[in-house]
Amino acid sequence: MKPQIALQLWSIQDACKDNFYEALKEVKRSGYDGVEFAGYHGRSAAEVKSYLEELGLRVAASHLSFEALQNDLEKTLAFEKEIGNSRIVIPYATFETLEGWQGFIAEMEEIAKKAEAEGFEFYYHNHANEFTEIPGFDILHEMVQHTKHINLEVDLYWLADSGVDAFPWLEAHKDRIGLFHMKDMQDSPRESTEIGSGILPMKEYVQVAKRLDIPWLIVEQEEFQNYPPLEATAIDCQQLRAMVDEVYSKS
């Protein structure tokens, strides 16, 4: 089955702050199947749910702070259930020591168990630092070796940026990968750009998604060279949709 395509709303954060409903309407108009939330801009769960239902958008996942889950797990999960979300993602962490990471991973695993008992899938989202800040350690590998309930939302841009050889790494960790962040990279300066305009093998990433049966490909763009964010993310959707159609049309 073809994966659905979502937009990580951090990509259009200014539009979301200005008028959340209108921003979501533009996301739908651009061709996305759903969204990944990065905050709710003061809206209640009922308001968010009504926007999604009216526009015909689904929730791929939500990025939630570790602190929100630590401090008020029950309330946080209730909000997510009401909007129709079933995937929780920790978007970032950094620690100066391996012991710091190990303590965080152990705490996260306990929260992941509780979330799973409530019907949620639990994910950690990488940047480059998990591969670089503790010399000799791949923190994501450490994470999956020592937990059972934490899945990986792999940001392919940051995987490439870290210098990891992406395809063997993806194969080695395929049993715990459930979501992809799709973000292309321009070479100079090195920053994100529209899908298909950069140097990353985006179509090959889609082929991996097909092999792993990834249900959602989540677009994220953080820098904008040629187009404002709403135009750029519309191009991202169009380009990624064409790649998905091509890859999934082949047996």
Side-chain angles (χ1 to χ4, degrees):
M1 222 168 87
K2 281 184 187 177
Q4 296 186 87
I5 298 175
L7 179 64
Q8 164 50 251
L9 293 176
W10 182 259
S11 310
I12 56 166
Q13 55 187 298
D14 289 339
C16 289
K17 287 173 192 167
D18 291 343
N19 189 321
F20 198 27
Y21 172 76
E22 288 297 327
L24 291 172
K25 190 187 280 188
E26 284 297 320
V27 171
K28 180 65 177 179
R29 192 176 290 138
S30 295
Y32 287 95
D33 302 303
V35 294
E36 180 176 56
F37 286 105
Y40 301 101
H41 306 280
R43 304 315 195 276
S44 68
E47 286 176 297
V48 173
K49 182 182 179 183
S50 72
Y51 293 168
L52 296 170
E53 287 179 348
E54 180 187 336
L55 297 171
L57 287 168
R58 297 181 63 200
V59 188
S62 291
H63 279 194
L64 299 170
S65 76
F66 187 59
E67 291 70 28
L69 295 167
Q70 274 182 313
N71 298 335
D72 204 342
L73 184 64
E74 188 177 334
K75 184 178 176 183
T76 302
L77 295 184
F79 188 106
E80 297 304 316
K81 278 185 182 177
E82 187 170 348
I83 68 169
N85 179 36
S86 63
R87 298 178 188 87
I88 288 169
V89 186
I90 301 295
Y92 179 72
T94 180
F95 297 93
E96 293 181 356
T97 65
L98 181 58
E99 291 73 25
W101 272 109
Q102 288 169 334
F104 166 71
I105 289 166
E107 280 189 75
M108 191 165 51
E109 173 75 347
E110 289 306 307
I111 291 172
K113 280 184 202 172
K114 293 173 183 174
E116 194 174 287
E118 293 294 324
F120 290 90
E121 296 173 19
F122 192 97
Y123 291 85
Y124 179 80
H125 171 89
N126 68 284
H127 290 74
N129 64 296
E130 292 87 359
F131 302 97
T132 59
E133 72 184 4
I134 307 296
F137 273 89
D138 172 347
I139 293 297
L140 296 189
H141 183 71
E142 181 87 359
M143 195 177 286
V144 300
Q145 288 291 103
H146 293 94
T147 67
K148 293 181 180 177
H149 303 275
I150 300 169
N151 303 297
L152 302 178
E153 176 182 72
V154 178
D155 188 308
L156 296 158
Y157 174 100
W158 289 117
L159 193 64
D161 184 73
S162 73
V164 167
D165 190 352
F167 294 106
W169 190 93
L170 293 168
E171 179 63 26
H173 298 90
K174 64 185 178 182
D175 292 341
R176 298 291 281 277
I177 297 169
L179 298 168
F180 275 170
H181 256 219
M182 306 295 288
K183 186 188 326 180
D184 210 342
M185 177 193 290
Q186 72 165 26
D187 192 26
S188 183
R190 182 180 284 196
E191 57 186 28
S192 59
T193 193
E194 290 76 47
I195 289 173
S197 299
I199 61 172
L200 295 184
M202 303 303 289
K203 193 192 294 184
E204 285 83 353
Y205 292 155
V206 175
Q207 289 167 344
V208 175
K210 183 180 181 182
R211 284 202 303 277
L212 301 189
D213 200 23
I214 302 289
W216 283 95
L217 301 179
I218 301 169
V219 169
E220 185 175 39
Q221 189 171 339
E222 296 172 316
E223 288 90 17
F224 303 90
Q225 302 83 23
N226 302 309
Y227 305 94
L230 286 170
E231 283 185 44
T233 52
I235 293 167
D236 288 327
C237 186
Q238 183 181 24
Q239 292 286 93
L240 182 56
R241 183 80 64 191
M243 292 176 190
V244 167
D245 287 347
E246 181 182 343
V247 168
Y248 281 75
S249 68
K250 296 171 182 174
S251 58

